[in-house]
Amino acid sequence: MATQTESQFSRYKEEFSSFLTDTWIGYAFVIPATLLLAVVIGYPTLRGLYLAFFEVSLLNPEQMEFVGLQHFRALAADPIFKAALWHTVLLTALAVSFQYLLGLGLALALKEKVPGAGIFRSLSMVTWVMPIIVMVIIFRFMVQNGFGPVNIILDSLGMRTTYWFGEPGVAFPLIVVMHVWRNVPFYAISLLAAMNSIPKEQYEAARLDGAGPLERFRHVTLPQISYVSMIMIVLHVTFTFKNFDIVYLSTGGGPLGNTEVLATYVYKQAFEQYALGYGASIGVVMLILMLTFTVVYVKLEEVD
């Protein structure tokens, strides 16, 4: 009797194990998430691609006229679009470059256990978790004319004071500074984690081969953090290229269009000019540029 009970228990156990390892149960877990992504991401993307080929107003979205590539031809002759594209590329290149280089320098300094490293690690994520609106308010307060700390210092030095976000030549650099200020600590912590995962034996072997600090950094550290670097750069290029909130909240694209970027131009076309189709065509251009960058960068990283 006991033997029969053990046999049944063993059979049930095998059937339950087979049930859990069947492929179809894996699909059962994946399908809901796939459907959710298709609705939340796939439909808006396809809808945006579709609208780019139509003349449609936000006020009368049911009245649509097919115009083919007319919006894209108009973009090629649109000076504001060209300026916004240039500002977007320049902002992305400057912000991501400074973020990575400064973050890498901080990570190397923290790895050498400089004084105050523990405090920095504790406080470093404050800039990352701080809401963007709070960060923008802080920066706008700092450069206010009359009572902002920056202008108080400049006034004490006998230098010119003004509301610096309203200066055409200063507003754009200030936006770059905000991006860098927000993201450098996150770069430093991520790169430091990658550096700490490198086996110490590799550094010892390089040191025995006569490699100095610069050679060890070039031939041991950099190759080992290349994958994390690739992920960080690809993600932040994407985030910065399509960033809307920092620019819109700080300058709104001004003064005189000197900080206009593609994301703010899309918003203005779609929700201020009610030109949904034209705005969608700008979004399609942004999508193509970002997909191209991601594919090329990942391929180059694989070659390296």
Side-chain angles (χ1 to χ4, degrees), residues 98-136:
F98 282 124
Q99 287 165 187
Y100 183 78
L101 293 175
L102 294 175
L104 181 61
L106 275 175
L108 289 171
L110 293 174
K111 191 171 183 296
E112 297 301 324
K113 296 180 173 57
V114 296
I119 297 176
F120 176 79
R121 289 175 187 169
S122 302
L123 298 177
S124 60
M125 298 309 291
V126 170
T127 63
W128 180 254
V129 301
M130 179 183 292
I132 288 178
I133 180 62
V134 176
M135 180 193 71
V136 173

Side-chain angles (χ1 to χ4, degrees), residues 36-46:
L36 182 62
L37 287 175
V39 173
V40 176
I41 298 176
Y43 175 74
T45 303
L46 294 175

Side-chain angles (χ1 to χ4, degrees), residues 114-240:
V114 296
I119 297 176
F120 176 79
R121 289 175 187 169
S122 302
L123 298 177
S124 60
M125 298 309 291
V126 170
T127 63
W128 180 254
V129 301
M130 179 183 292
I132 288 178
I133 180 62
V134 176
M135 180 193 71
V136 173
I137 289 173
I138 291 173
F139 271 81
R140 291 183 63 167
F141 167 75
M142 289 176 65
V143 299
Q144 285 290 335
N145 196 13
F147 55 88
V150 172
N151 280 316
I152 290 175
I153 294 173
L154 292 177
D155 186 52
S156 67
L157 296 174
M159 301 176 68
R160 173 173 170 251
T161 63
T162 184
Y163 175 59
W164 294 105
F165 274 116
E167 284 292 305
V170 182
F172 189 83
L174 279 176
I175 290 175
V176 176
V177 169
M178 283 195 290
H179 278 275
V180 174
W181 181 84
R182 179 175 177 80
N183 293 319
V184 162
F186 186 70
Y187 270 84
I189 296 300
S190 301
L191 294 173
L192 178 63
M195 291 178 187
N196 287 335
S197 67
I198 301 173
K200 294 181 180 178
E201 290 78 8
Q202 294 188 14
Y203 287 107
E204 292 298 329
R207 191 174 287 107
L208 290 175
D209 289 339
L214 189 60
E215 285 79 10
R216 291 198 297 272
F217 171 72
R218 179 182 176 187
H219 297 292
V220 178
T221 304
L222 275 183
Q224 297 289 341
I225 65 172
S226 63
Y227 186 70
V228 172
S229 299
M230 180 197 72
I231 295 174
M232 297 290 293
I233 290 173
V234 169
L235 287 178
H236 279 87
V237 164
T238 308
F239 291 156
T240 309

Side-chain angles (χ1 to χ4, degrees), residues 238-256:
T238 308
F239 291 156
T240 309
F241 193 87
K242 62 183 179 58
N243 180 263
F244 169 80
D245 39 16
I246 290 179
V247 176
Y248 193 78
L249 292 172
S250 58
T251 64
L256 304 175

